[in-house]
Amino acid sequence: MESESKKVTEEQKEEIAKQLLEKLKVQLFSSKASIRRRAAFNLSWMQEDGLEILRSIFLGDFSETAKNASAYGLRKMQGRMKKKALDVFKEGLRQRNNLTGEISRNALVLLGYKIPKEYLPDKQNDKKNRINEIPNRSSPRRFTNSR
């Protein structure tokens, strides 16, 4: 015979789950990398709830460390959530935030996916903006002894 105190109602289970999700969300902003990583990994096992938290941090206006941690969690998604995590990375490529785009590109490369050309950084601009060294005309020229 089970006692009344051991029975956990559905409402209590939901409240415990909400508290856990909130705790993991706070840990994503920790100053310690191992805590951020562990929280992201645990969120990756939380199916839709974890995906929603990781997605909101990844696409939101948060710090680079929080975005990297959420990208780690999204990369660790398994099963049917893997495709949804890939969709988040593809959405990140279209973001105006350069940081989000860069993290999305790196995550997709780590997962073994090819990045479409329109989302690759423009290499030609780097070549155009290089500063070439121009020799100083007032410096004495070296003459070789041609005798």
Side-chain angles (χ1 to χ4, degrees):
M1 193 176 216
E2 290 184 43
S3 68
E4 291 295 319
S5 62
K6 286 190 176 184
K7 290 185 181 179
V8 180
T9 65
E10 289 297 318
E11 293 174 0
Q12 290 173 332
K13 285 182 183 179
E14 287 179 18
E15 186 60 34
I16 291 169
K18 285 180 186 179
Q19 289 173 355
L20 176 62
L21 288 171
E22 190 59 37
K23 178 184 172 190
L24 291 173
K25 184 177 180 179
V26 169
Q27 286 178 349
L28 281 176
F29 297 100
S30 172
S31 60
K32 294 184 180 182
S34 61
I35 293 173
R36 287 191 307 263
R37 237 170 206 242
R38 182 165 293 149
F41 182 76
N42 288 337
L43 283 169
S44 73
W45 283 89
M46 300 278 180
Q47 299 294 317
E48 285 88 2
D49 295 331
L51 176 74
E52 191 57 40
I53 290 173
L54 292 171
R55 181 183 182 282
S56 66
I57 291 172
F58 185 73
L59 297 176
D61 189 22
F62 294 101
S63 67
E64 180 178 4
T65 55
K67 285 180 181 258
N68 279 324
S70 64
Y72 176 79
L74 289 167
R75 286 195 325 259
K76 297 298 177 185
M77 288 283 181
Q78 297 292 322
R80 64 187 179 92
M81 302 308 289
K82 185 84 166 179
K83 185 176 179 184
K84 292 181 181 183
L86 289 174
D87 291 341
V88 172
F89 287 133
K90 290 174 185 175
E91 188 178 341
L93 288 174
R94 295 186 293 271
Q95 289 282 322
R96 289 186 152 206
N97 186 346
N98 290 337
L99 177 63
T100 305
E102 182 182 332
I103 294 171
S104 292
R105 281 190 297 274
N106 292 339
L108 287 170
V109 167
L110 285 172
L111 291 172
Y113 290 91
K114 212 170 197 180
I115 311 298
K117 282 189 178 184
E118 67 255 20
Y119 298 117
L120 289 174
D122 195 13
K123 297 283 183 180
Q124 292 177 349
N125 288 341
D126 292 342
K127 291 178 183 176
K128 289 179 185 176
N129 294 333
R130 285 190 184 160
I131 298 174
N132 295 327
E133 187 157 337
I134 299 173
N136 189 355
R137 293 185 186 254
S138 64
S139 66
R141 294 186 180 172
R142 294 184 189 179
F143 291 102
T144 58
N145 198 355
S146 58
R147 291 185 195 186

PDB file of all heavy atoms in Angstrom, residues 42-78:
ATOM      1  N   ASN A  42      22.732  18.363 -21.084  1.00  0.00           N
ATOM      2  CA  ASN A  42      21.510  17.911 -20.411  1.00  0.00           C
ATOM      3  C   ASN A  42      20.262  18.448 -21.113  1.00  0.00           C
ATOM      4  O   ASN A  42      19.260  17.743 -21.223  1.00  0.00           O
ATOM      5  CB  ASN A  42      21.523  18.328 -18.943  1.00  0.00           C
ATOM      6  CG  ASN A  42      22.507  17.521 -18.129  1.00  0.00           C
ATOM      7  OD1 ASN A  42      22.875  16.411 -18.498  1.00  0.00           O
ATOM      8  ND2 ASN A  42      22.967  18.084 -17.035  1.00  0.00           N
ATOM      9  N   LEU A  43      20.336  19.678 -21.593  1.00  0.00           N
ATOM     10  CA  LEU A  43      19.199  20.231 -22.334  1.00  0.00           C
ATOM     11  C   LEU A  43      18.984  19.494 -23.657  1.00  0.00           C
ATOM     12  O   LEU A  43      17.857  19.409 -24.139  1.00  0.00           O
ATOM     13  CB  LEU A  43      19.398  21.729 -22.583  1.00  0.00           C
ATOM     14  CG  LEU A  43      19.126  22.633 -21.394  1.00  0.00           C
ATOM     15  CD1 LEU A  43      19.621  24.046 -21.672  1.00  0.00           C
ATOM     16  CD2 LEU A  43      17.651  22.649 -21.047  1.00  0.00           C
ATOM     17  N   SER A  44      20.050  18.978 -24.234  1.00  0.00           N
ATOM     18  CA  SER A  44      19.905  18.258 -25.501  1.00  0.00           C
ATOM     19  C   SER A  44      19.087  16.975 -25.321  1.00  0.00           C
ATOM     20  O   SER A  44      18.510  16.476 -26.280  1.00  0.00           O
ATOM     21  CB  SER A  44      21.271  17.921 -26.099  1.00  0.00           C
ATOM     22  OG  SER A  44      21.908  16.894 -25.386  1.00  0.00           O
ATOM     23  N   TRP A  45      19.003  16.465 -24.113  1.00  0.00           N
ATOM     24  CA  TRP A  45      18.223  15.263 -23.837  1.00  0.00           C
ATOM     25  C   TRP A  45      16.792  15.583 -23.439  1.00  0.00           C
ATOM     26  O   TRP A  45      15.996  14.685 -23.189  1.00  0.00           O
ATOM     27  CB  TRP A  45      18.894  14.444 -22.734  1.00  0.00           C
ATOM     28  CG  TRP A  45      20.056  13.697 -23.244  1.00  0.00           C
ATOM     29  CD1 TRP A  45      21.352  14.129 -23.307  1.00  0.00           C
ATOM     30  CD2 TRP A  45      20.061  12.397 -23.825  1.00  0.00           C
ATOM     31  NE1 TRP A  45      22.151  13.186 -23.870  1.00  0.00           N
ATOM     32  CE2 TRP A  45      21.380  12.099 -24.198  1.00  0.00           C
ATOM     33  CE3 TRP A  45      19.072  11.460 -24.057  1.00  0.00           C
ATOM     34  CZ2 TRP A  45      21.733  10.901 -24.800  1.00  0.00           C
ATOM     35  CZ3 TRP A  45      19.437  10.259 -24.649  1.00  0.00           C
ATOM     36  CH2 TRP A  45      20.744   9.988 -25.011  1.00  0.00           C
ATOM     37  N   MET A  46      16.434  16.853 -23.382  1.00  0.00           N
ATOM     38  CA  MET A  46      15.105  17.256 -22.916  1.00  0.00           C
ATOM     39  C   MET A  46      14.094  17.429 -24.055  1.00  0.00           C
ATOM     40  O   MET A  46      13.062  18.067 -23.857  1.00  0.00           O
ATOM     41  CB  MET A  46      15.200  18.568 -22.129  1.00  0.00           C
ATOM     42  CG  MET A  46      16.078  18.502 -20.933  1.00  0.00           C
ATOM     43  SD  MET A  46      15.189  17.795 -19.587  1.00  0.00           S
ATOM     44  CE  MET A  46      16.395  17.829 -18.312  1.00  0.00           C
ATOM     45  N   GLN A  47      14.388  16.927 -25.225  1.00  0.00           N
ATOM     46  CA  GLN A  47      13.482  16.963 -26.368  1.00  0.00           C
ATOM     47  C   GLN A  47      13.029  18.388 -26.718  1.00  0.00           C
ATOM     48  O   GLN A  47      13.865  19.259 -26.855  1.00  0.00           O
ATOM     49  CB  GLN A  47      12.284  16.032 -26.142  1.00  0.00           C
ATOM     50  CG  GLN A  47      12.663  14.576 -25.954  1.00  0.00           C
ATOM     51  CD  GLN A  47      13.259  13.947 -27.192  1.00  0.00           C
ATOM     52  OE1 GLN A  47      12.767  14.155 -28.285  1.00  0.00           O
ATOM     53  NE2 GLN A  47      14.314  13.180 -27.028  1.00  0.00           N
ATOM     54  N   GLU A  48      11.733  18.625 -26.860  1.00  0.00           N
ATOM     55  CA  GLU A  48      11.221  19.915 -27.319  1.00  0.00           C
ATOM     56  C   GLU A  48      11.549  21.057 -26.366  1.00  0.00           C
ATOM     57  O   GLU A  48      11.881  22.155 -26.800  1.00  0.00           O
ATOM     58  CB  GLU A  48       9.698  19.866 -27.538  1.00  0.00           C
ATOM     59  CG  GLU A  48       9.268  19.142 -28.788  1.00  0.00           C
ATOM     60  CD  GLU A  48       9.071  17.645 -28.564  1.00  0.00           C
ATOM     61  OE1 GLU A  48       9.229  17.187 -27.415  1.00  0.00           O
ATOM     62  OE2 GLU A  48       8.783  16.948 -29.544  1.00  0.00           O
ATOM     63  N   ASP A  49      11.436  20.810 -25.063  1.00  0.00           N
ATOM     64  CA  ASP A  49      11.705  21.872 -24.097  1.00  0.00           C
ATOM     65  C   ASP A  49      13.165  22.319 -24.169  1.00  0.00           C
ATOM     66  O   ASP A  49      13.471  23.507 -24.180  1.00  0.00           O
ATOM     67  CB  ASP A  49      11.370  21.409 -22.678  1.00  0.00           C
ATOM     68  CG  ASP A  49       9.890  21.129 -22.503  1.00  0.00           C
ATOM     69  OD1 ASP A  49       9.090  21.772 -23.205  1.00  0.00           O
ATOM     70  OD2 ASP A  49       9.539  20.276 -21.657  1.00  0.00           O
ATOM     71  N   GLY A  50      14.070  21.355 -24.218  1.00  0.00           N
ATOM     72  CA  GLY A  50      15.492  21.670 -24.322  1.00  0.00           C
ATOM     73  C   GLY A  50      15.818  22.364 -25.631  1.00  0.00           C
ATOM     74  O   GLY A  50      16.596  23.313 -25.663  1.00  0.00           O
ATOM     75  N   LEU A  51      15.213  21.877 -26.714  1.00  0.00           N
ATOM     76  CA  LEU A  51      15.439  22.493 -28.021  1.00  0.00           C
ATOM     77  C   LEU A  51      14.992  23.946 -28.011  1.00  0.00           C
ATOM     78  O   LEU A  51      15.690  24.818 -28.527  1.00  0.00           O
ATOM     79  CB  LEU A  51      14.700  21.723 -29.119  1.00  0.00           C
ATOM     80  CG  LEU A  51      14.800  22.340 -30.512  1.00  0.00           C
ATOM     81  CD1 LEU A  51      16.182  22.111 -31.095  1.00  0.00           C
ATOM     82  CD2 LEU A  51      13.747  21.772 -31.430  1.00  0.00           C
ATOM     83  N   GLU A  52      13.856  24.222 -27.427  1.00  0.00           N
ATOM     84  CA  GLU A  52      13.335  25.589 -27.410  1.00  0.00           C
ATOM     85  C   GLU A  52      14.250  26.532 -26.620  1.00  0.00           C
ATOM     86  O   GLU A  52      14.500  27.657 -27.038  1.00  0.00           O
ATOM     87  CB  GLU A  52      11.920  25.599 -26.833  1.00  0.00           C
ATOM     88  CG  GLU A  52      11.207  26.913 -27.025  1.00  0.00           C
ATOM     89  CD  GLU A  52      11.121  27.345 -28.482  1.00  0.00           C
ATOM     90  OE1 GLU A  52      10.900  26.511 -29.358  1.00  0.00           O
ATOM     91  OE2 GLU A  52      11.299  28.567 -28.731  1.00  0.00           O
ATOM     92  N   ILE A  53      14.761  26.063 -25.510  1.00  0.00           N
ATOM     93  CA  ILE A  53      15.670  26.891 -24.709  1.00  0.00           C
ATOM     94  C   ILE A  53      16.973  27.125 -25.466  1.00  0.00           C
ATOM     95  O   ILE A  53      17.455  28.261 -25.574  1.00  0.00           O
ATOM     96  CB  ILE A  53      15.928  26.233 -23.341  1.00  0.00           C
ATOM     97  CG1 ILE A  53      14.676  26.306 -22.485  1.00  0.00           C
ATOM     98  CG2 ILE A  53      17.096  26.918 -22.619  1.00  0.00           C
ATOM     99  CD1 ILE A  53      14.753  25.536 -21.185  1.00  0.00           C
ATOM    100  N   LEU A  54      17.552  26.054 -26.020  1.00  0.00           N
ATOM    101  CA  LEU A  54      18.800  26.194 -26.764  1.00  0.00           C
ATOM    102  C   LEU A  54      18.615  27.089 -27.985  1.00  0.00           C
ATOM    103  O   LEU A  54      19.474  27.918 -28.300  1.00  0.00           O
ATOM    104  CB  LEU A  54      19.323  24.818 -27.176  1.00  0.00           C
ATOM    105  CG  LEU A  54      19.797  23.917 -26.034  1.00  0.00           C
ATOM    106  CD1 LEU A  54      20.076  22.511 -26.547  1.00  0.00           C
ATOM    107  CD2 LEU A  54      21.024  24.494 -25.364  1.00  0.00           C
ATOM    108  N   ARG A  55      17.504  26.938 -28.670  1.00  0.00           N
ATOM    109  CA  ARG A  55      17.214  27.746 -29.863  1.00  0.00           C
ATOM    110  C   ARG A  55      17.091  29.227 -29.509  1.00  0.00           C
ATOM    111  O   ARG A  55      17.629  30.089 -30.190  1.00  0.00           O
ATOM    112  CB  ARG A  55      15.924  27.250 -30.511  1.00  0.00           C
ATOM    113  CG  ARG A  55      15.534  27.979 -31.759  1.00  0.00           C
ATOM    114  CD  ARG A  55      14.187  27.461 -32.294  1.00  0.00           C
ATOM    115  NE  ARG A  55      13.830  28.126 -33.508  1.00  0.00           N
ATOM    116  CZ  ARG A  55      13.311  29.355 -33.581  1.00  0.00           C
ATOM    117  NH1 ARG A  55      13.098  30.034 -32.492  1.00  0.00           N
ATOM    118  NH2 ARG A  55      13.023  29.894 -34.745  1.00  0.00           N
ATOM    119  N   SER A  56      16.367  29.518 -28.429  1.00  0.00           N
ATOM    120  CA  SER A  56      16.159  30.921 -28.064  1.00  0.00           C
ATOM    121  C   SER A  56      17.472  31.591 -27.677  1.00  0.00           C
ATOM    122  O   SER A  56      17.686  32.762 -28.000  1.00  0.00           O
ATOM    123  CB  SER A  56      15.146  31.035 -26.929  1.00  0.00           C
ATOM    124  OG  SER A  56      15.659  30.458 -25.746  1.00  0.00           O
ATOM    125  N   ILE A  57      18.351  30.871 -27.023  1.00  0.00           N
ATOM    126  CA  ILE A  57      19.646  31.454 -26.658  1.00  0.00           C
ATOM    127  C   ILE A  57      20.532  31.583 -27.890  1.00  0.00           C
ATOM    128  O   ILE A  57      21.201  32.598 -28.083  1.00  0.00           O
ATOM    129  CB  ILE A  57      20.334  30.613 -25.557  1.00  0.00           C
ATOM    130  CG1 ILE A  57      19.536  30.763 -24.262  1.00  0.00           C
ATOM    131  CG2 ILE A  57      21.777  31.037 -25.353  1.00  0.00           C
ATOM    132  CD1 ILE A  57      19.974  29.864 -23.151  1.00  0.00           C
ATOM    133  N   PHE A  58      20.517  30.571 -28.742  1.00  0.00           N
ATOM    134  CA  PHE A  58      21.366  30.597 -29.934  1.00  0.00           C
ATOM    135  C   PHE A  58      20.982  31.728 -30.884  1.00  0.00           C
ATOM    136  O   PHE A  58      21.842  32.417 -31.410  1.00  0.00           O
ATOM    137  CB  PHE A  58      21.292  29.251 -30.658  1.00  0.00           C
ATOM    138  CG  PHE A  58      22.222  29.159 -31.827  1.00  0.00           C
ATOM    139  CD1 PHE A  58      23.577  29.032 -31.643  1.00  0.00           C
ATOM    140  CD2 PHE A  58      21.736  29.196 -33.121  1.00  0.00           C
ATOM    141  CE1 PHE A  58      24.441  28.957 -32.715  1.00  0.00           C
ATOM    142  CE2 PHE A  58      22.575  29.118 -34.197  1.00  0.00           C
ATOM    143  CZ  PHE A  58      23.942  28.995 -33.998  1.00  0.00           C
ATOM    144  N   LEU A  59      19.703  31.932 -31.090  1.00  0.00           N
ATOM    145  CA  LEU A  59      19.257  32.948 -32.043  1.00  0.00           C
ATOM    146  C   LEU A  59      19.023  34.306 -31.384  1.00  0.00           C
ATOM    147  O   LEU A  59      18.804  35.292 -32.080  1.00  0.00           O
ATOM    148  CB  LEU A  59      17.973  32.478 -32.744  1.00  0.00           C
ATOM    149  CG  LEU A  59      18.123  31.216 -33.592  1.00  0.00           C
ATOM    150  CD1 LEU A  59      16.774  30.801 -34.153  1.00  0.00           C
ATOM    151  CD2 LEU A  59      19.134  31.402 -34.696  1.00  0.00           C
ATOM    152  N   GLY A  60      19.062  34.356 -30.069  1.00  0.00           N
ATOM    153  CA  GLY A  60      18.808  35.599 -29.357  1.00  0.00           C
ATOM    154  C   GLY A  60      20.044  36.485 -29.270  1.00  0.00           C
ATOM    155  O   GLY A  60      21.105  36.192 -29.815  1.00  0.00           O
ATOM    156  N   ASP A  61      19.895  37.582 -28.549  1.00  0.00           N
ATOM    157  CA  ASP A  61      20.972  38.555 -28.379  1.00  0.00           C
ATOM    158  C   ASP A  61      21.698  38.258 -27.062  1.00  0.00           C
ATOM    159  O   ASP A  61      21.490  38.938 -26.061  1.00  0.00           O
ATOM    160  CB  ASP A  61      20.385  39.971 -28.387  1.00  0.00           C
ATOM    161  CG  ASP A  61      21.468  41.028 -28.444  1.00  0.00           C
ATOM    162  OD1 ASP A  61      22.587  40.707 -28.889  1.00  0.00           O
ATOM    163  OD2 ASP A  61      21.198  42.167 -28.030  1.00  0.00           O
ATOM    164  N   PHE A  62      22.535  37.222 -27.100  1.00  0.00           N
ATOM    165  CA  PHE A  62      23.259  36.801 -25.912  1.00  0.00           C
ATOM    166  C   PHE A  62      24.750  36.774 -26.198  1.00  0.00           C
ATOM    167  O   PHE A  62      25.182  36.980 -27.326  1.00  0.00           O
ATOM    168  CB  PHE A  62      22.776  35.402 -25.463  1.00  0.00           C
ATOM    169  CG  PHE A  62      21.348  35.393 -24.999  1.00  0.00           C
ATOM    170  CD1 PHE A  62      20.340  34.934 -25.817  1.00  0.00           C
ATOM    171  CD2 PHE A  62      21.010  35.871 -23.744  1.00  0.00           C
ATOM    172  CE1 PHE A  62      19.018  34.931 -25.402  1.00  0.00           C
ATOM    173  CE2 PHE A  62      19.703  35.873 -23.316  1.00  0.00           C
ATOM    174  CZ  PHE A  62      18.705  35.405 -24.145  1.00  0.00           C
ATOM    175  N   SER A  63      25.545  36.485 -25.177  1.00  0.00           N
ATOM    176  CA  SER A  63      26.996  36.497 -25.306  1.00  0.00           C
ATOM    177  C   SER A  63      27.490  35.342 -26.172  1.00  0.00           C
ATOM    178  O   SER A  63      26.777  34.365 -26.418  1.00  0.00           O
ATOM    179  CB  SER A  63      27.650  36.406 -23.926  1.00  0.00           C
ATOM    180  OG  SER A  63      27.384  35.137 -23.359  1.00  0.00           O
ATOM    181  N   GLU A  64      28.728  35.473 -26.616  1.00  0.00           N
ATOM    182  CA  GLU A  64      29.329  34.446 -27.467  1.00  0.00           C
ATOM    183  C   GLU A  64      29.454  33.119 -26.718  1.00  0.00           C
ATOM    184  O   GLU A  64      29.216  32.049 -27.297  1.00  0.00           O
ATOM    185  CB  GLU A  64      30.707  34.904 -27.933  1.00  0.00           C
ATOM    186  CG  GLU A  64      31.410  33.916 -28.827  1.00  0.00           C
ATOM    187  CD  GLU A  64      32.752  34.411 -29.312  1.00  0.00           C
ATOM    188  OE1 GLU A  64      33.194  35.486 -28.901  1.00  0.00           O
ATOM    189  OE2 GLU A  64      33.363  33.695 -30.126  1.00  0.00           O
ATOM    190  N   THR A  65      29.794  33.176 -25.443  1.00  0.00           N
ATOM    191  CA  THR A  65      29.952  31.934 -24.683  1.00  0.00           C
ATOM    192  C   THR A  65      28.620  31.201 -24.539  1.00  0.00           C
ATOM    193  O   THR A  65      28.580  29.979 -24.645  1.00  0.00           O
ATOM    194  CB  THR A  65      30.552  32.221 -23.293  1.00  0.00           C
ATOM    195  OG1 THR A  65      29.743  33.186 -22.623  1.00  0.00           O
ATOM    196  CG2 THR A  65      31.970  32.723 -23.402  1.00  0.00           C
ATOM    197  N   ALA A  66      27.549  31.944 -24.315  1.00  0.00           N
ATOM    198  CA  ALA A  66      26.231  31.309 -24.203  1.00  0.00           C
ATOM    199  C   ALA A  66      25.802  30.721 -25.544  1.00  0.00           C
ATOM    200  O   ALA A  66      25.231  29.627 -25.606  1.00  0.00           O
ATOM    201  CB  ALA A  66      25.196  32.305 -23.707  1.00  0.00           C
ATOM    202  N   LYS A  67      26.091  31.433 -26.637  1.00  0.00           N
ATOM    203  CA  LYS A  67      25.741  30.929 -27.966  1.00  0.00           C
ATOM    204  C   LYS A  67      26.546  29.670 -28.302  1.00  0.00           C
ATOM    205  O   LYS A  67      26.014  28.721 -28.872  1.00  0.00           O
ATOM    206  CB  LYS A  67      25.975  31.997 -29.033  1.00  0.00           C
ATOM    207  CG  LYS A  67      24.915  33.074 -29.029  1.00  0.00           C
ATOM    208  CD  LYS A  67      25.222  34.096 -30.110  1.00  0.00           C
ATOM    209  CE  LYS A  67      24.189  35.170 -30.099  1.00  0.00           C
ATOM    210  NZ  LYS A  67      23.218  35.026 -31.160  1.00  0.00           N
ATOM    211  N   ASN A  68      27.821  29.674 -27.945  1.00  0.00           N
ATOM    212  CA  ASN A  68      28.644  28.484 -28.192  1.00  0.00           C
ATOM    213  C   ASN A  68      28.152  27.296 -27.381  1.00  0.00           C
ATOM    214  O   ASN A  68      28.134  26.163 -27.877  1.00  0.00           O
ATOM    215  CB  ASN A  68      30.114  28.767 -27.871  1.00  0.00           C
ATOM    216  CG  ASN A  68      30.814  29.485 -29.001  1.00  0.00           C
ATOM    217  OD1 ASN A  68      30.549  29.244 -30.163  1.00  0.00           O
ATOM    218  ND2 ASN A  68      31.707  30.387 -28.648  1.00  0.00           N
ATOM    219  N   ALA A  69      27.771  27.535 -26.150  1.00  0.00           N
ATOM    220  CA  ALA A  69      27.249  26.447 -25.317  1.00  0.00           C
ATOM    221  C   ALA A  69      25.947  25.906 -25.896  1.00  0.00           C
ATOM    222  O   ALA A  69      25.746  24.685 -25.950  1.00  0.00           O
ATOM    223  CB  ALA A  69      27.031  26.937 -23.884  1.00  0.00           C
ATOM    224  N   SER A  70      25.068  26.794 -26.342  1.00  0.00           N
ATOM    225  CA  SER A  70      23.810  26.319 -26.915  1.00  0.00           C
ATOM    226  C   SER A  70      24.055  25.594 -28.241  1.00  0.00           C
ATOM    227  O   SER A  70      23.368  24.617 -28.550  1.00  0.00           O
ATOM    228  CB  SER A  70      22.814  27.464 -27.089  1.00  0.00           C
ATOM    229  OG  SER A  70      23.293  28.402 -28.016  1.00  0.00           O
ATOM    230  N   ALA A  71      25.052  26.035 -29.011  1.00  0.00           N
ATOM    231  CA  ALA A  71      25.397  25.326 -30.249  1.00  0.00           C
ATOM    232  C   ALA A  71      25.909  23.923 -29.923  1.00  0.00           C
ATOM    233  O   ALA A  71      25.591  22.959 -30.632  1.00  0.00           O
ATOM    234  CB  ALA A  71      26.449  26.100 -31.033  1.00  0.00           C
ATOM    235  N   TYR A  72      26.666  23.805 -28.850  1.00  0.00           N
ATOM    236  CA  TYR A  72      27.131  22.485 -28.416  1.00  0.00           C
ATOM    237  C   TYR A  72      25.944  21.582 -28.092  1.00  0.00           C
ATOM    238  O   TYR A  72      25.890  20.431 -28.513  1.00  0.00           O
ATOM    239  CB  TYR A  72      28.045  22.632 -27.190  1.00  0.00           C
ATOM    240  CG  TYR A  72      28.498  21.316 -26.611  1.00  0.00           C
ATOM    241  CD1 TYR A  72      29.526  20.603 -27.201  1.00  0.00           C
ATOM    242  CD2 TYR A  72      27.886  20.788 -25.481  1.00  0.00           C
ATOM    243  CE1 TYR A  72      29.945  19.385 -26.679  1.00  0.00           C
ATOM    244  CE2 TYR A  72      28.287  19.577 -24.955  1.00  0.00           C
ATOM    245  CZ  TYR A  72      29.319  18.891 -25.550  1.00  0.00           C
ATOM    246  OH  TYR A  72      29.711  17.685 -25.033  1.00  0.00           O
ATOM    247  N   GLY A  73      24.986  22.118 -27.358  1.00  0.00           N
ATOM    248  CA  GLY A  73      23.795  21.349 -27.019  1.00  0.00           C
ATOM    249  C   GLY A  73      23.000  20.965 -28.254  1.00  0.00           C
ATOM    250  O   GLY A  73      22.497  19.836 -28.360  1.00  0.00           O
ATOM    251  N   LEU A  74      22.887  21.883 -29.211  1.00  0.00           N
ATOM    252  CA  LEU A  74      22.158  21.582 -30.443  1.00  0.00           C
ATOM    253  C   LEU A  74      22.875  20.509 -31.259  1.00  0.00           C
ATOM    254  O   LEU A  74      22.236  19.656 -31.873  1.00  0.00           O
ATOM    255  CB  LEU A  74      21.984  22.859 -31.271  1.00  0.00           C
ATOM    256  CG  LEU A  74      20.993  23.884 -30.705  1.00  0.00           C
ATOM    257  CD1 LEU A  74      21.137  25.216 -31.430  1.00  0.00           C
ATOM    258  CD2 LEU A  74      19.575  23.371 -30.801  1.00  0.00           C
ATOM    259  N   ARG A  75      24.208  20.557 -31.259  1.00  0.00           N
ATOM    260  CA  ARG A  75      24.965  19.524 -31.981  1.00  0.00           C
ATOM    261  C   ARG A  75      24.785  18.152 -31.352  1.00  0.00           C
ATOM    262  O   ARG A  75      24.881  17.134 -32.029  1.00  0.00           O
ATOM    263  CB  ARG A  75      26.457  19.874 -32.000  1.00  0.00           C
ATOM    264  CG  ARG A  75      26.825  20.977 -32.933  1.00  0.00           C
ATOM    265  CD  ARG A  75      28.322  21.052 -33.189  1.00  0.00           C
ATOM    266  NE  ARG A  75      29.179  20.720 -32.077  1.00  0.00           N
ATOM    267  CZ  ARG A  75      29.802  21.598 -31.299  1.00  0.00           C
ATOM    268  NH1 ARG A  75      29.647  22.882 -31.499  1.00  0.00           N
ATOM    269  NH2 ARG A  75      30.599  21.191 -30.323  1.00  0.00           N
ATOM    270  N   LYS A  76      24.529  18.107 -30.060  1.00  0.00           N
ATOM    271  CA  LYS A  76      24.397  16.837 -29.348  1.00  0.00           C
ATOM    272  C   LYS A  76      22.977  16.275 -29.372  1.00  0.00           C
ATOM    273  O   LYS A  76      22.733  15.220 -28.792  1.00  0.00           O
ATOM    274  CB  LYS A  76      24.850  16.985 -27.884  1.00  0.00           C
ATOM    275  CG  LYS A  76      26.307  17.340 -27.743  1.00  0.00           C
ATOM    276  CD  LYS A  76      27.168  16.248 -28.319  1.00  0.00           C
ATOM    277  CE  LYS A  76      28.628  16.602 -28.261  1.00  0.00           C
ATOM    278  NZ  LYS A  76      29.464  15.622 -28.911  1.00  0.00           N
ATOM    279  N   MET A  77      22.058  16.961 -30.027  1.00  0.00           N
ATOM    280  CA  MET A  77      20.692  16.453 -30.134  1.00  0.00           C
ATOM    281  C   MET A  77      20.693  15.100 -30.840  1.00  0.00           C
ATOM    282  O   MET A  77      21.471  14.874 -31.760  1.00  0.00           O
ATOM    283  CB  MET A  77      19.812  17.421 -30.932  1.00  0.00           C
ATOM    284  CG  MET A  77      19.462  18.679 -30.215  1.00  0.00           C
ATOM    285  SD  MET A  77      18.186  18.337 -29.032  1.00  0.00           S
ATOM    286  CE  MET A  77      17.941  19.940 -28.351  1.00  0.00           C
ATOM    287  N   GLN A  78      19.812  14.226 -30.415  1.00  0.00           N
ATOM    288  CA  GLN A  78      19.740  12.881 -30.964  1.00  0.00           C
ATOM    289  C   GLN A  78      18.347  12.598 -31.518  1.00  0.00           C
ATOM    290  O   GLN A  78      17.383  13.274 -31.174  1.00  0.00           O
ATOM    291  CB  GLN A  78      20.050  11.849 -29.874  1.00  0.00           C
ATOM    292  CG  GLN A  78      21.441  11.956 -29.302  1.00  0.00           C
ATOM    293  CD  GLN A  78      22.514  11.580 -30.302  1.00  0.00           C
ATOM    294  OE1 GLN A  78      22.339  10.656 -31.084  1.00  0.00           O
ATOM    295  NE2 GLN A  78      23.608  12.311 -30.292  1.00  0.00           N
TER     296      GLN A  78
END
